[in-house]
Amino acid sequence: MTTLTRKRALLPFLRHPVRQTVVYSFIAHTSPGRSRVFAIRKGYPDRLEAVTTLGAADLHLTEEFVGGLNSFMADRDDAVLQAVLDRVPGPVAMAARQYLKENCAPELGAFTECGPVEVVREAVYFSRIDHELEEYLDGAYMIGLGIRMSNELSSDGDIGWVLQLRSDEVSVPASSEPRTWALPAGVPLLRTWTSEQPLAGLGPVRGALEVAEAASAEGCWVRVHTLLHSNRDVDFEGNGTSEFVVDVFDARIPSSELEE
């Protein structure tokens, strides 16, 4: 019998505190007299949110303005954003700045140079680490999907593993810490292993599972994720090596929030 089960959506996923909805991108609806700029918020539920409006005299700036907002979400380059805001009317620039400040705090692992990272599979459950789980991870890893995985404790005392698959791996610069999943606030980190520290005779998938299973057997909360660790610090997107990261926390394995 298969150990793979589709779980109902977890809120928040794998005990990672996130906002109810997250701003993924900006779009505009243009009519002859104005361009209304909206934020696309994804989460529970998805929705559009009004940001600001360009008047008839500034319609030609719509594409540049929206593009600048989306670029900022990906690279957080404030100088480039300011150059775009300097071209639009002051009230429009102020409204955009205020919206970004209140709603678009940087979120680790949320964007690549191609745009926002989508969740491909919200939550898939495995009852244990075995060959089936290894094959599932290996397939996702080989085609470049981002992986997030955590252990959890069911009401009957069994330890299972919950996975989320994401549309892409997020890059980090060469000199940056290898992490694209923010550490949970207030939880001490015992140790971190990456597949750049290979275990003898084991590939990155099997190595990550070995480390995760051993830490879980000790009763520790474990989280696993993948990233693209660049060999550059400038123009680092899309270059480098794909890695597994295993974080082991000084905390008990969290209880399952939802039972099948």
Side-chain angles (χ1 to χ4, degrees):
M1 181 179 292
T2 181
T3 59
L4 183 154
T5 305
R6 291 288 296 278
K7 297 199 80 174
R8 294 182 294 272
L10 299 178
L11 286 175
F13 175 73
L14 306 188
R15 285 60 177 190
H16 179 206
V18 296
R19 289 163 291 170
Q20 188 75 358
T21 57
V22 178
V23 176
Y24 266 48
S25 62
F26 295 89
I27 60 172
H29 178 267
T30 302
S31 62
R34 63 180 179 175
S35 283
R36 298 186 66 196
V37 178
F38 298 89
I40 299 175
R41 300 192 72 119
K42 292 195 173 183
Y44 304 91
D46 295 352
R47 68 175 188 266
L48 285 179
E49 195 166 71
V51 177
T52 188
T53 301
L54 288 166
D58 301 298
L59 293 184
H60 63 290
L61 298 173
T62 300
E63 185 175 347
E64 180 183 355
F65 179 59
V66 172
L69 295 177
N70 284 323
S71 293
F72 179 75
M73 292 289 289
D75 59 29
R76 300 288 164 168
D77 191 326
D78 197 75
V80 173
L81 174 65
Q82 188 58 53
V84 173
L85 296 183
D86 285 343
R87 289 175 50 77
V88 299
V92 173
M94 289 179 62
R97 276 287 187 193
Q98 190 65 26
Y99 188 88
L100 291 170
K101 179 181 178 181
E102 294 178 354
N103 299 279
C104 304
E107 183 179 340
L108 200 60
F111 287 87
T112 71
E113 64 179 349
C114 298
V117 175
E118 303 282 349
V119 175
V120 178
R121 289 287 184 270
E122 178 62 41
V124 180
Y125 179 79
F126 285 83
S127 61
R128 61 185 177 272
I129 288 180
D130 57 10
H131 181 65
E132 185 180 15
L133 172 54
E134 183 176 356
E135 283 192 337
Y136 191 85
L137 285 181
D138 194 54
Y141 185 59
M142 287 295 292
I143 63 175
L145 294 179
I147 296 167
R148 291 184 176 184
M149 182 174 85
S150 178
N151 57 350
E152 67 172 30
L153 192 65
S154 68
S155 58
D156 58 10
D158 292 333
I159 299 172
W161 296 86
V162 186
L163 282 76
Q164 183 187 83
L165 298 182
R166 299 162 73 84
S167 60
D168 204 352
E169 290 180 337
V170 177
S171 297
V172 296
S175 61
S176 295
E177 181 182 26
R179 176 169 285 106
T180 58
W181 193 0
L183 294 173
V187 182
L189 179 66
L190 284 178
R191 59 187 179 274
T192 296
W193 175 90
T194 79
S195 51
E196 286 300 283
Q197 309 154 27
L199 301 180
L202 300 180
V205 175
R206 186 68 244 173
L209 291 177
E210 290 279 343
V211 173
E213 186 172 31
S216 184
E218 297 172 356
C220 295
W221 180 20
V222 181
R223 294 197 324 188
V224 181
H225 74 283
T226 57
L227 53 81
L228 188 65
H229 202 168
S230 180
N231 51 20
R232 305 176 183 175
D233 277 328
V234 178
D235 296 328
F236 59 86
E237 288 280 0
N239 301 286
T241 58
S242 182
E243 298 179 16
F244 271 84
V245 178
V246 181
D247 288 322
V248 180
F249 299 100
D250 186 12
R252 293 180 180 178
I253 301 170
S255 298
S256 173
E257 292 182 354
L258 295 173
E259 293 292 331
E260 291 299 315

